[in-house]
Amino acid sequence: MITEEVATSQGTPQRGRQLSRWQLAVIGAVVALAAGIGVVLGFTLVGDRTGALGGAASYLPADAVMYGEAHLDLSPAQATSLRAILRRFPAADADLVPLDAIADAVDQGLAATKANLTWATDIGPWFDGRVSFAVLDYPVASTGATNMPLPSVAAMLGVKDAAAAGAFSDKVRELASQKGVSLSSSQHAGVTIWTAEGDVQLAARSGFAYAVTADELLLANGRSTIESMLDAHAGTQNLGTQQELQQLISHLPADRVGFFAIDTRQMVQELRSQVERTDPSVTALLDQYLANVPPFAVSSLSLQDDALAFDAATTLPGGDLAPANSRRDLASRVPSDTLLFADGGRVGTGLARFVTGIKAGIAAQPDGSQATAQLEQVEAAMGGSLEDFVSWIGDGALAVGATNGTPWGGLVLEADDVAAATQRLGQLRGLIELGAQQSGEAVRVTTDTVGGVEVTTIRAAMGSGPGVDVGMPETVVQYAMKDGTVLIGFGDQFVARSLGLAAGESLAASDRFKTALARFGGEDNAGVAFVDLAGVRQAVEQAAGQMLPPEYAAQIKPNVEPLDYLVNVTRVEGNVVVTRGGLVLR
């Protein structure tokens, strides 16, 4: 039975019969299925024709924690790019129309619920192709799990015909009535809100409500959430008018296929408050990083003829770890067949901050004074603080690759203080040798010369000692310093290859790498991440050999061969940090 409340939302309504958990599931499947499928699939196959946010943002408070929007009807340019992308994959349908695919999926889902609803007759006439979702708040969990508050969440479907949307709403309620489910109505801001809730305990945690307005179908986890959305829409301050958000959006492509925004300030504040109540020592560690978390971030996905482009923008974080543009030359120190490369600045400052946080966490423990005293003894033996062992590092890079089926990895670290770097590396070697002697582990430290540069190699057969040999492969770490650059290799290939690079053999000299940098941000940047997807595929094929499944060559390989590389380039543009990148196809 469907009941209707006479009182407004400010009054105390009389509810109909309560819903069971399975009845809530039925209502959710019937009413929210379109929204759910739209959010999951539509976020990757959509097109927003303007740089501004859609109308759904006007239904959210200005301090909403998360928001995403999408249009299922592609713009002409995005539709053309989608076809160009799909043509590269033999298994894909280059004539795919995203909205038609969504409609088919929704029809299948509705058929599974045995609901007398179809896309063509009940959803298509009013749905304008816009899909949005939001998290309005981020409440702190109480210490009791049974009282854990859930955030207010909502999904929104764009409405082009309010009368047709209202007819759809009527059919849904009639279907619910046939299932013995009761929905109650209330009025708020001139809009009817329909609510389905279960027992009192369940209703407080995961109720369901929806409302049809002139331009949106609002679905949320409770009537109060719908009411707050209507209030935001009626006011002058909402997410759609949020100035900080608008500033960041201006750095994203106007013709995009998906959009997402997150207010990290609220999440960070609530996280810190929650952790502080349960474990103050962890809070002390977190404080070393929270000051550097950007308060707001937005991101988008757009389609280009040969790439899926990812763009993001954040407000510039404070603190001494804030990024800055520079022309680093670290890619010239690694081989051209590097499969993964990532670099950035102020690595030593970040590591030192991490160490300081760890020490603060130890000191905050109940037995922290004893542990701190022991740590101070270790630092005395090392000849300096733990922070001193990393604070000499300036810019740094990580490189990973594989040569003839053997994986390797390495670090390239620019020394801000060469004397300090030399001292710390020597101290580290001495500590390793002393530790090996005291533990009885089979550790060998040797020194060789490669290209006139001294290379130290540390080989450790873990689990081995006098009379003990578990047969584990030995661990090899090498390090060397040349012209103020420290090379640390994991395995016995990286350092020697990096020291012996001839002109044109480095990653920086690779045409693909140079093209990627130029396309997505340029050499003057705050950080780069590059993954050679084609190289990874070839390395996996070489390593797997005969173990590859029989169908790989005919069915799988043709659909992974188009993947060329993945790249992200981060730059500081005024008071905004912008990251541009993409999955580039051959």
Side-chain angles (χ1 to χ4, degrees):
M1 178 180 67
I2 300 176
T3 63
E4 185 169 353
E5 297 171 5
V6 178
T8 65
S9 59
Q10 287 77 19
T12 303
Q14 301 296 319
R15 301 197 180 280
R17 43 182 292 198
Q18 298 174 340
L19 296 178
S20 67
R21 294 175 185 268
W22 74 265
Q23 289 171 325
L24 280 175
V26 171
I27 288 294
V30 172
V31 181
L33 184 60
I37 294 177
V39 167
V40 174
L41 298 181
F43 188 70
T44 58
L45 294 172
V46 293
D48 185 22
R49 290 176 174 74
T50 66
L53 293 179
S58 67
Y59 283 90
L60 301 173
D63 60 353
V65 175
M66 295 182 188
Y67 174 71
E69 70 174 27
H71 287 225
L72 305 183
D73 50 340
L74 294 173
S75 70
Q78 292 294 281
T80 298
S81 292
L82 176 61
R83 286 191 293 270
I85 289 172
L86 294 179
R87 288 192 186 102
R88 288 173 160 79
F89 299 91
D93 179 6
D95 295 323
L96 171 70
V97 178
L99 193 57
D100 290 346
I102 298 296
D104 291 341
V106 170
D107 279 339
Q108 292 178 18
L110 292 172
T113 67
K114 301 187 183 303
N116 187 25
L117 298 169
T118 65
W119 180 280
T121 59
D122 301 295
I123 300 176
W126 59 264
F127 179 50
D128 70 2
R130 294 180 293 118
V131 178
S132 307
F133 65 94
V135 178
L136 279 64
D137 52 33
Y138 188 75
V140 182
S142 63
T143 54
T146 58
N147 296 321
M148 182 178 296
L150 296 177
S152 300
V153 297
M156 293 151 280
L157 301 179
V159 171
K160 62 184 178 182
D161 186 334
F168 171 71
S169 173
D170 294 341
K171 292 189 68 171
V172 169
R173 293 198 307 277
E174 178 61 29
L175 176 64
S177 178
Q178 295 173 6
K179 299 293 185 179
V181 177
S182 175
L183 287 87
S184 56
S185 70
S186 61
Q187 297 291 317
H188 188 87
V191 176
T192 301
I193 303 174
W194 291 94
T195 306
E197 294 178 339
D199 56 72
V200 175
Q201 182 180 8
L202 180 62
R205 299 174 59 190
S206 58
F208 175 80
Y210 75 92
V212 179
T213 71
D215 57 351
E216 297 289 338
L217 169 59
L218 311 177
L219 306 103
N221 63 339
R223 184 176 61 187
S224 62
T225 303
I226 298 288
E227 291 174 350
S228 65
M229 296 171 70
L230 294 174
D231 289 340
H233 185 67
T236 58
Q237 297 296 322
N238 54 60
L239 190 65
T241 61
Q242 216 259 36
Q243 293 185 352
E244 187 175 27
L245 183 62
Q246 296 301 326
Q247 178 192 16
L248 294 178
I249 290 175
S250 67
H251 292 269
L252 302 181
D255 192 10
R256 51 184 180 255
V257 299
F259 172 82
F260 180 76
I262 181 170
D263 186 342
T264 55
R265 284 168 298 201
Q266 294 188 60
M267 301 188 70
V268 164
Q269 291 169 359
E270 300 293 4
L271 173 63
R272 188 189 185 284
S273 298
Q274 182 176 342
V275 171
E276 187 175 27
R277 291 197 305 271
T278 58
D279 192 344
S281 64
V282 177
T283 305
L285 190 153
L286 284 175
D287 283 342
Q288 300 297 320
Y289 306 97
L290 297 186
N292 296 282
V293 174
F296 213 94
V298 299
S299 61
S300 68
L301 170 66
S302 57
L303 302 178
Q304 300 175 8
D305 287 354
D306 65 339
L308 279 71
F310 307 96
D311 295 84
T314 70
T315 45
L316 185 66
D320 54 0
L321 291 181
N325 297 332
S326 65
R327 289 181 175 270
R328 299 169 305 283
D329 193 32
L330 303 177
S332 66
R333 305 298 183 95
V334 303
S336 60
D337 59 354
T338 295
L339 300 180
L340 183 151
F341 176 84
D343 74 352
R346 303 178 186 177
V347 174
T349 303
L351 290 174
R353 183 67 54 79
F354 177 76
V355 172
T356 300
I358 292 292
K359 293 165 71 172
I362 292 174
Q365 295 288 348
D367 58 347
S369 59
Q370 180 180 357
T372 298
Q374 294 174 345
L375 184 58
E376 290 173 348
Q377 293 178 0
V378 172
E379 290 181 326
M382 294 172 58
S385 69
L386 294 177
E387 290 89 339
D388 290 340
F389 269 77
V390 294
S391 59
W392 56 268
I393 304 172
D395 298 338
L398 166 70
V400 176
T403 302
N404 297 325
T406 302
W408 51 262
L411 300 174
V412 182
L413 307 174
E414 297 286 1
D416 284 344
D417 187 333
V418 175
T422 303
Q423 178 185 5
R424 300 310 176 190
L425 290 173
Q427 290 174 328
L428 181 61
R429 171 176 174 168
L431 288 172
I432 292 174
E433 291 176 325
L434 178 61
Q437 293 175 3
Q438 294 179 346
S439 66
E441 294 286 350
V443 178
R444 292 183 296 125
V445 181
T446 59
T447 301
D448 299 301
T449 300
V450 177
V453 178
E454 183 179 88
V455 177
T456 299
T457 302
I458 303 169
R459 298 180 182 273
M462 305 306 295
S464 299
V468 178
D469 186 357
V470 296
M472 295 179 63
E474 68 176 3
T475 299
V476 179
V477 177
Q478 295 181 317
Y479 67 84
M481 183 164 65
K482 178 182 180 181
D483 300 331
T485 300
V486 175
L487 303 172
I488 301 177
F490 306 98
D492 58 5
Q493 298 191 50
F494 174 73
V495 172
R497 290 195 62 196
S498 296
L499 290 173
L501 289 176
E505 293 182 349
S506 71
L507 181 65
S510 164
D511 289 338
R512 291 169 68 232
F513 185 75
K514 290 190 293 185
T515 299
L517 284 188
R519 177 174 179 176
F520 292 101
E523 296 181 358
D524 185 25
N525 58 67
V528 172
F530 177 82
V531 181
D532 183 351
L533 297 176
V536 170
R537 173 183 58 78
Q538 292 167 2
V540 171
E541 290 174 349
Q542 181 178 8
Q546 298 300 319
M547 293 187 295
L548 292 171
E551 64 273 15
Y552 177 79
Q555 301 178 21
I556 301 176
K557 185 175 181 177
N559 289 290
V560 295
E561 279 185 321
L563 304 179
D564 194 357
Y565 60 82
L566 180 67
V567 64
N568 276 320
V569 180
T570 299
R571 282 182 43 81
V572 177
E573 299 180 3
N575 63 343
V576 176
V577 181
V578 179
T579 298
R580 306 196 188 283
L583 172 60
V584 179
L585 308 173
R586 292 185 170 188

